Each structure stands twice: as structure tokens, then as C-alpha cells.
Amino acid sequence: MTSSPLSAKRTVAAVIPAAGRGVRLGPGAPKAMRPLGGVPMLVHAVRAMIHARSVSLVVVVAPADAVADVRSLLGNHGLPEAKDIRIVAGGDTRQESVRLGLAALPEDVDVVLVHDAARPLVPVEMVDAVAAAVRDGAPAVVPGLPLVDTVKRIDPGTDFVTGTPERALLRAVQTPQGFDRATLAKAHATITQDVTDDAGMVEQLGIQVLVVPGHEEAFKVTRPLDLILAEAVLARRRASDVF
Ligand code: CTP
Ligand code: MG
């Protein structure tokens, strides 16, 4: 199916939740501000969104006590001025931070990509592919990868295994997750239960979520070992001069 002229015109914004502390990474600055190849993780994530052709506006959701720091940080890293970058203060949970980011979007935005600052190395092509799938009519799109490990369901009280979901039917999902704006806004206005991703809220509305191919380099920097991996990926990119 090709996009209709109407869908091709839809304006895409990226919301980047970056207000987490990064507790699992260990003591230090808020995770988004920690360096990767000498540049804060958040700057990598903003660059990936800005360089995606489909994205015309970026909203960064910063730690509430670091809005001014984030503003000067982004100003200092020579980001292209052609695209609008807004910075707002985040909340206590990721869900709350995304909600605050959505509230800062201008009226004319009709597709929203939500992308974790903690996934600094997401390939630009993957960002555009998620946006394209939403523009082509899917109300919610998530990039996902097959699992390498077998997953067990357990009884949290006893740690005994209660089941083994068929691995071939599982996907580990990443960001950016892309949404028709009205769908995501409705999800955030309706669902109060705690979720770990935005698509989970849309699922609870009974709306179908499409999985498109994810990418190994879109992994989330969560624990110290992930930082080592991210540094290695970045060094390899720099050596081969690929953005
Ligand atoms: N996030 C946010 N606001 C919060 C919590 C998280 O904007 N109150 C963002 C993080 O900055 C990150 C993304 O959501 O970009 C994914 O969250 P996660 O990887 O869990 O990051 P942290 O919450 O910072 O890490 P941790 O859970 O280890 O503290
Ligand atoms: Mg967290």
C-alpha cells in the first residue's frame, strides 16, 4: 500500500523522555547526561531524531532540576537550527514524563515518536521506518527483535516456573515507538495503571499495535555493561565514518 498524499503530509514530532536518574547504571549524573564517546547520551539521541528526515520537531523531557543544563548542553553541541527543539521538565515516572512532553506539542503535529534518551545509538533509518509505518495508517508501531534467551514465567512467591512462552512468538521491543497523536493522547488520558512502554497503554485501549523490525544498536543503556557495549559500537562507527 502506498501512502496517500494526505498521509504523506502528516507532521511528525519526537518526544524524548530523558528525565530518569539511571539508578541501575550506578551513582553519577542523570543517565541522559552521562558521556558516550565524550558526548552526553542525550545529545546522541537528539541527533538521531533530528537527522531522521521524517521528524520536524523534537521535545526533550529533561530532569526537573536540569532543564537549564540541558538547554545549554543542546545549544553547545551544534544541532541544526532548521528543526525546532523544545525542552520541558519531566516527572517522577517515565509515563508522567512522556505525558508532559506530549503537552508541549504544537497543534499541527499528528504523528508522535516516543524515544528513550537511553537508546542513544538508534539508527536513523529505523526512526524513519517507524514514522513511515504510522504515516501509512498504523495507529501504533513498535520496533522489535526476536529474543535470544528462552523466557520463563515464574511464581514470584516461590520462584518456581509456571510456564515457558513459545520464544518464536515473542519480541523484545525498543523505541522509537510511533503513534497517531490522537491515539497516544487518548491512551495517556485514560490509562492510569503503571506501564513500561507507551504501546502497552494503547494495547489497553484495545487498539492494535504493529511490530516492525528493530535494530541491535537501538539497545537501551541500562546497566554498566551496556555503556561498554555502547562505547564499542560508537568507536566502530567512528572508525568506519558512518553516522
Ligand atoms: N525517564 C523519564 N522520566 C522518568 C523516568 C525515566 O523521562 N521519571 C526516561 C529515562 O530518562 C530514559 C527512559 O525513560 O530515557 C527509559 O527509562 P530507563 O531506561 O528506566 O531510565 P532510568 O529510569 O533513568 O533508569 P533506572 O530505571 O535504572 O533508574
Ligand atoms: Mg527507569
Side-chain angles (χ1 to χ4, degrees), residues 78-212:
L79 297 167
E81 286 181 14
K83 294 194 183 178
D84 188 354
I85 303 179
R86 302 177 182 202
I87 301 154
V88 298
D92 289 341
T93 64
R94 182 185 182 282
Q95 212 166 340
E96 180 63 17
S97 293
V98 172
R99 188 173 294 126
L100 291 163
L102 292 178
L105 291 176
E107 285 255 311
D108 66 336
V109 168
D110 26 39
V111 174
V112 181
L113 305 182
V114 182
H115 181 63
D116 293 330
R119 298 181 189 271
L121 300 180
V122 61
V124 170
E125 301 74 33
M126 197 180 104
V127 178
D128 282 327
V130 171
V134 182
R135 279 176 152 169
D136 282 348
V141 177
V142 300
L145 289 176
L147 301 192
V148 286
D149 295 320
T150 294
V151 171
K152 301 289 184 191
R153 190 179 303 110
I154 58 153
D155 175 339
T158 65
D159 280 350
F160 278 113
V161 171
T162 58
T164 307
E166 188 182 339
R167 191 174 64 189
L169 299 180
L170 299 175
R171 293 292 179 270
V173 303
Q174 305 177 318
T175 73
Q177 299 191 346
F179 304 91
D180 162 62
R181 181 191 186 164
T183 301
L184 186 60
K186 184 174 178 198
H188 274 272
T190 317
I191 309 297
T192 49
Q193 202 181 318
D194 230 16
V195 291
T196 50
D197 75 342
D198 298 277
M201 305 174 75
V202 170
E203 288 159 42
Q204 289 187 47
L205 294 180
I207 292 170
Q208 286 217 305
V209 177
L210 176 69
V211 179
V212 297

Side-chain angles (χ1 to χ4, degrees), residues 17-36 39-44 63 66 73 116-120 219-224 226-227:
R21 306 307 307 180
V23 171
R24 287 170 290 178
L25 207 50
K31 183 159 74 178
M33 310 293 267
R34 298 203 206 184
L36 191 60
V39 175
M41 221 181 293
L42 174 62
V43 173
H44 292 280
L73 186 74
D116 293 330
R119 298 181 189 271
F219 66 93
K220 186 153 70 75
V221 174
T222 306
R223 291 168 292 228
D226 301 321
L227 262 183

